[in-house]
Amino acid sequence: TMQTFPNPAENRTMADSSSHSQTNNGNGPSKRQKTITHAPHSSLLPPPQLHTIVSAWLQDDIPSHFDVGGYVVGSAVHKAELWMKSSGVLAGIPFFEAVFDACGKCNIVWEDDAIEGAKFDIIEGGGSGCGNKKIKLATVTGPVSHLLRGERTALNSMSRCSGVATLSNKCVQIAKDENWSGEVAGTRKTTPGFRLVEKYGLLVGGASTHRLDLSQMVMLKDNHVWSCGGSIESAVKKARGVSGFSQKIEVECQSLEEALIAAEAGADVVMLDNFAPEKLKRDAK
């Protein structure tokens, strides 16, 4: 959540996913202290793509003509504080920053412990016990109309990303607790318009992204096999002929027999689809 209140005297600069401070005792040049990287994965996000996505989000929410609400609150400089009120893994800082950057004239300062991938223990419902009732993550300063214009979009993107990171981290932890050596990966079943957010959340949570889109790895499903006369070998051969030596091919298989055929045909990855747990463990060996 975000809380807004006046702060006309404050003038801070955009954190841009990292921050540093300088000290000077008057006896020489300032010394830079340790840099804090709040979003270690942020360099994965190409700025032009991030700008395009955030612009589309804002266009979906802001007034199409006059911003009457913005006119009512005016353009006086205020500050808003970002608070985390539910336990989980923090993720989505680059999207939060990009929203307010697009709104213009807004500056963000992150708290030192607001680092993506960090787990926060929040006491929900105001009960007693170990942990905090809420944790301050950042302060955003800017014209109040700009703050309110970006508030909901910034919160939605960060909440969604943190939720995905939290749940994926739970799955990853379960696998580790069972001493499983494989990887937990997310599917391409993402929310339209939020794919980058959700895939980013997977990475922050410790999971793998599998495919980001249809161009990343060739995946042959039953529809592809049927279109090749039901022949897995033909489907793999046809795909290999145009995908090049650097592209991996994955085949979705419904049985151990199909999996063996796919492997012999040259598939790089075999997916055992809709297998019961015990059958999956037996056939995978």
Side-chain angles (χ1 to χ4, degrees):
T1 61
M2 291 186 69
Q3 299 174 345
T4 307
F5 45 91
N7 189 36
E10 201 154 355
N11 183 20
R12 295 177 174 173
T13 57
M14 173 69 77
D16 194 23
S17 300
S18 64
S19 65
H20 69 268
S21 60
Q22 295 182 334
T23 59
N24 192 329
N25 58 11
N27 296 322
S30 299
K31 294 182 179 180
R32 179 174 293 185
Q33 295 180 344
K34 182 180 179 181
T35 297
I36 299 174
T37 302
H38 293 278
H41 292 86
S42 63
S43 58
L44 284 168
L45 303 171
Q49 186 178 20
L50 186 58
H51 174 75
T52 299
I53 292 173
V54 167
S55 295
W57 291 345
L58 289 170
Q59 287 294 333
D60 186 54
D61 191 50
I62 62 176
S64 57
H65 294 89
F66 293 129
D67 184 358
V68 177
Y71 172 76
V72 171
V73 298
S75 57
V77 175
H78 284 54
K79 70 175 181 178
E81 294 179 345
L82 174 66
W83 293 82
M84 190 171 187
K85 294 185 175 181
S86 297
S87 299
V89 176
L90 176 63
I93 285 178
F95 304 103
F96 187 91
E97 290 185 342
V99 168
F100 283 109
D101 187 39
C103 288
K105 300 180 181 180
C106 293
N107 304 314
I108 302 176
V109 174
W110 295 96
E111 298 297 312
D112 288 351
D113 56 354
I115 299 174
E116 285 190 323
K119 296 180 182 179
F120 292 92
D121 181 24
I122 310 294
I123 301 174
E124 300 183 30
S128 59
C130 297
N132 302 285
K133 294 182 179 180
K134 62 179 182 178
I135 295 175
K136 182 180 176 182
L137 298 176
T139 301
V140 187
T141 306
V144 64
S145 58
H146 294 211
L147 295 178
L148 295 179
R149 212 169 281 151
E151 174 192 16
R152 179 43 51 195
T153 302
L155 287 174
N156 285 353
S157 60
M158 174 165 272
S159 296
R160 183 68 175 172
C161 196
S162 295
V164 172
T166 299
L167 290 178
S168 61
N169 183 261
K170 287 183 179 178
C171 293
V172 169
Q173 193 56 55
I174 291 173
K176 288 182 178 179
D177 291 343
E178 295 296 327
N179 295 317
W180 188 59
S181 59
E183 294 186 36
V184 176
T187 70
R188 201 168 49 83
K189 300 179 179 70
T190 54
T191 307
F194 262 72
R195 174 173 299 184
L196 193 62
V197 173
E198 293 168 354
K199 290 292 190 178
Y200 185 84
L202 280 174
L203 289 176
V204 175
S208 298
T209 60
H210 194 230
R211 290 197 300 170
L212 295 175
D213 55 37
L214 288 171
S215 67
Q216 192 176 57
M217 189 166 63
V218 178
M219 188 167 182
L220 302 177
K221 298 173 177 283
D222 48 10
N223 293 320
H224 301 94
V225 174
W226 293 337
S227 68
C228 292
S231 171
I232 293 177
E233 297 99 324
S234 295
V236 172
K237 182 178 180 180
K238 190 173 183 179
R240 181 64 70 192
V242 294
S243 60
F245 68 89
S246 62
Q247 185 86 309
K248 285 188 176 183
I249 295 177
E250 178 173 351
V251 180
E252 187 177 273
C253 300
Q254 310 296 323
S255 66
L256 177 59
E257 291 71 26
E258 288 185 357
L260 293 174
I261 292 174
E264 292 174 0
D268 301 288
V269 181
V270 174
M271 174 185 285
L272 303 180
D273 188 45
N274 293 324
F275 276 49
E278 290 304 318
K279 187 176 189 314
L280 176 63
K281 288 181 359 183
R282 182 181 67 248
D283 290 352
K285 293 180 179 179

